[in-house]
Amino acid sequence: RLFIILTLGYIVKFLETYAKKSQESILEVATRDAMKQKVYKFLPPESLVGGQNQPRELVLELTACSASAICEARTLLECGTFLIDPPISEHASNGSYYTRKNFLEVQPFLVRLVGEVASIGSTASLASLQDCLQENFLTIEEATATYNSLCAMTDELGPCLASWCLEMLPEMCSKVEINLLVNGIQAAYGGVASEALEVLKIVEKRGNTEVKRKGK
C-alpha cells in the first residue's frame, strides 16, 4: 500500500511538472513564427497506432503555435498513460506490482492537464497577434491565418483529444472529465477566436482589404 501511495505522489508531481514545461514550450513557439500557417497532420499517440481500432487522425491548416499545442497535449497524454501502466516484474507473483485500478484517480487529473496544455495555445496565439498589432507589424495575411487557425482548433481539437483519451483511458466510462475537456477547449479557442476576429477587422480596415475567412 505504501508503494502505491508513494508512486501516486510521484506520478502526480511528474505530470504537473511536465505540463508546466509543455506550456512553456508553447509560449516559446508563440514568440517565433507564431502566425506562419501550413497544413499539419497529427497522428494519434504512438501506443494507439496499429491497434484494432482506427484512432482519429487530425489534419488541419494551422499556425505554428496551435500546432505546438496539439503536439504537447498528445505527448503529455502518451507520457501519463505510460506512467500508470503497470510494469512487468519477474519477482511479482502476479506478474506486476500494481494495476491501473490502483491509479484510477490519476486519469481525470491527466485529462485535465491535457486540456490545460492544449488550451494554452489559444491565449498564446492571441497575445502574439495583439503584440504585432500594437507594433504595427501585423499583416492581413497573418491576422487571417491566426483567426482561421483558432476557428479550426475550436471545432476540431476537443473532439479529437477526447477520442484519443477514451482510447487510451477506457476506464473513464462516465466521460465527465472527457466532456469537460471538450467544452473547455472549445470555450478557450472560441472565445479567443472572437477576439482575433476583431483584430483582423482592424487590420483589414487599415489595409482597406478583406481576405477570405474560414470562420463563421
Side-chain angles (χ1 to χ4, degrees), residues 21-57:
K21 292 294 184 181
S22 296
Q23 291 175 325
E24 290 173 354
S25 296
I26 297 167
L27 293 173
E28 196 275 330
V29 170
T31 65
R32 51 179 175 80
D33 294 330
M35 289 170 283
K36 186 177 180 180
Q37 191 177 33
K38 68 176 185 177
V39 175
Y40 293 86
K41 180 178 181 180
F42 302 96
L43 295 175
E46 187 176 353
S47 59
L48 291 179
V49 178
Q52 292 182 345
N53 297 327
Q54 294 297 321
R56 180 179 177 185
E57 295 180 356

Side-chain angles (χ1 to χ4, degrees), residues 125-140:
S125 295
L126 182 63
S128 180
L129 195 67
Q130 292 174 332
D131 286 346
C132 290
L133 179 66
Q134 285 187 333
E135 298 294 331
N136 204 28
F137 290 147
L138 187 63
T139 67
I140 294 177

Side-chain angles (χ1 to χ4, degrees), residues 140-161:
I140 294 177
E141 290 75 16
E142 290 173 334
T144 302
T146 302
Y147 171 67
N148 289 340
S149 179
L150 291 169
C151 289
M153 294 285 273
T154 302
D155 295 335
E156 300 291 342
L157 179 56
C160 184
L161 281 181

Side-chain angles (χ1 to χ4, degrees), residues 27-209:
L27 293 173
E28 196 275 330
V29 170
T31 65
R32 51 179 175 80
D33 294 330
M35 289 170 283
K36 186 177 180 180
Q37 191 177 33
K38 68 176 185 177
V39 175
Y40 293 86
K41 180 178 181 180
F42 302 96
L43 295 175
E46 187 176 353
S47 59
L48 291 179
V49 178
Q52 292 182 345
N53 297 327
Q54 294 297 321
R56 180 179 177 185
E57 295 180 356
L58 193 59
V59 180
L60 294 173
E61 188 173 0
L62 301 173
T63 59
C65 188
S66 294
S68 175
I70 298 178
C71 291
E72 294 291 344
R74 179 182 58 187
T75 303
L76 175 60
L77 175 60
E78 182 87 60
C79 180
T81 306
F82 174 80
L83 288 176
I84 64 175
D85 279 334
I88 302 300
S89 171
E90 296 177 359
H91 304 290
S93 59
N94 294 325
S96 174
Y97 288 114
Y98 60 86
T99 69
R100 272 194 172 204
K101 291 182 179 179
N102 295 116
F103 300 115
L104 288 177
E105 60 195 275
V106 176
Q107 295 191 19
F109 176 70
L110 172 58
V111 172
R112 286 197 295 273
L113 287 181
V114 168
E116 290 174 8
V117 168
S119 296
I120 199 70
S122 62
T123 52
S125 295
L126 182 63
S128 180
L129 195 67
Q130 292 174 332
D131 286 346
C132 290
L133 179 66
Q134 285 187 333
E135 298 294 331
N136 204 28
F137 290 147
L138 187 63
T139 67
I140 294 177
E141 290 75 16
E142 290 173 334
T144 302
T146 302
Y147 171 67
N148 289 340
S149 179
L150 291 169
C151 289
M153 294 285 273
T154 302
D155 295 335
E156 300 291 342
L157 179 56
C160 184
L161 281 181
S163 68
W164 290 351
C165 287
L166 287 172
E167 287 282 349
M168 299 186 74
L169 306 169
E171 297 88 353
M172 296 186 64
C173 55
S174 70
K175 299 185 181 180
V176 173
E177 293 296 336
I178 299 295
N179 290 334
L180 289 174
L181 168 75
V182 175
N183 294 337
I185 289 175
Q186 289 178 336
Y189 281 93
V192 168
S194 299
E195 296 185 60
L197 177 59
E198 295 306 312
V199 172
L200 176 54
K201 289 179 179 178
I202 293 173
V203 179
E204 287 176 343
K205 186 175 293 186
R206 287 179 180 177
N208 196 29
T209 305

